[in-house]
Amino acid sequence: VGIVNINSGLEAIIDGFKKGMDEAGVKEGRNIAYIYKAVLEQDQVDSELQKLKDKRVDLILAITTPAAQKAARAVEGTKIPVVFASVFSPLESGLVKSLTRPGGNLTGIQVGGSTGKALDLHKNAVPETKRIFVPFVPGDKAAEQSLADLKKAAKKLDIILDIAIVRTSDELKSVLSKVPKDIDA
């Protein structure tokens, strides 16, 4: 099983996948091997997918919408299945034809649709929240969809969003070290 991941915050998905496989009797070192180097930058995903394809992996686990989209393109014309995780909207992202009949060799977990509810729950728990700091990756369809939902929910709840554009993990670390003092969440 080849694994591609571009989000260090989602490493637990890999652990959960491995645990589920182990519980199903598929034991690492006995009847399954995982090929996973580390969290990748977006510009490294295509070459890693090519390496996995060249190694003729039996399955690719793709974590995040961009990684899943690249994996889908990489396995076109092959029978290599792709399991995606933490994809905001598989349908809108073009990964599946429909949620009930995905078609092709991709399947996975949708996480989208809860952004507004999460903000509402936060506001109920911390009613004094007025400003929220939001690191944002432009060009990432999942991030764009999530931000659109967040903006809609924030407007209803009279919350101001302070959006910081980030493109790399180093930029993210930098903006997180400089969160403005008037931010509530």
Side-chain angles (χ1 to χ4, degrees):
V1 174
I3 302 171
V4 290
N5 178 19
I6 61 170
N7 185 329
S8 60
L10 299 176
E11 293 278 284
I13 291 172
I14 299 166
D15 296 336
F17 182 85
K18 288 180 175 183
K19 182 179 179 198
M21 295 296 281
D22 192 64
E23 290 170 357
V26 183
K27 309 277 187 199
E28 188 170 9
R30 185 178 338 144
N31 51 7
I32 191 168
Y34 296 100
I35 301 170
Y36 179 60
K37 291 183 177 182
V39 174
L40 302 170
E41 293 294 335
Q42 285 218 34
D43 62 354
Q44 298 172 309
V45 174
D46 289 326
S47 64
E48 184 62 22
L49 286 165
Q50 185 59 50
K51 289 175 190 172
L52 294 173
K53 195 171 147 183
D54 291 346
K55 289 181 181 187
R56 303 172 104 175
V57 295
D58 295 304
L59 178 100
I60 293 174
L61 173 62
I63 302 171
T64 73
T65 301
Q69 289 170 319
K70 288 177 182 244
R73 285 191 296 274
V75 301
E76 277 181 14
T78 75
K79 292 185 179 194
I80 300 171
V82 174
V83 173
F84 54 79
S86 194
V87 168
F88 187 84
S89 174
L91 191 58
E92 289 180 30
S93 300
L95 293 171
V96 298
K97 294 177 183 167
S98 86
L99 295 178
T100 55
R101 298 193 189 280
N105 51 346
L106 277 80
T107 191
I109 300 169
Q110 173 176 313
V111 296
S114 61
T115 304
K117 182 67 174 168
L119 186 58
D120 189 49
L121 289 169
H122 173 83
K123 183 71 172 178
N124 285 329
V126 189
E128 64 273 10
T129 299
K130 297 288 179 209
R131 294 180 70 87
I132 296 180
F133 186 72
V134 183
F136 172 69
V137 180
D140 177 331
K141 183 122 174 136
E144 290 169 356
Q145 291 167 344
S146 190
L147 183 60
D149 291 351
L150 185 61
K151 284 179 177 179
K152 190 183 300 180
K155 185 175 181 177
K156 286 180 184 175
L157 296 169
D158 198 30
I159 292 174
I160 297 167
L161 301 179
D162 189 338
I163 299 166
I165 303 296
V166 296
R167 289 182 176 79
T168 66
S169 29
D170 287 338
E171 284 181 9
L172 177 61
K173 289 175 190 171
S174 177
V175 299
L176 289 176
S177 72
K178 301 172 190 168
V179 175
K181 295 197 183 303
D182 62 342
I183 295 296
D184 300 310

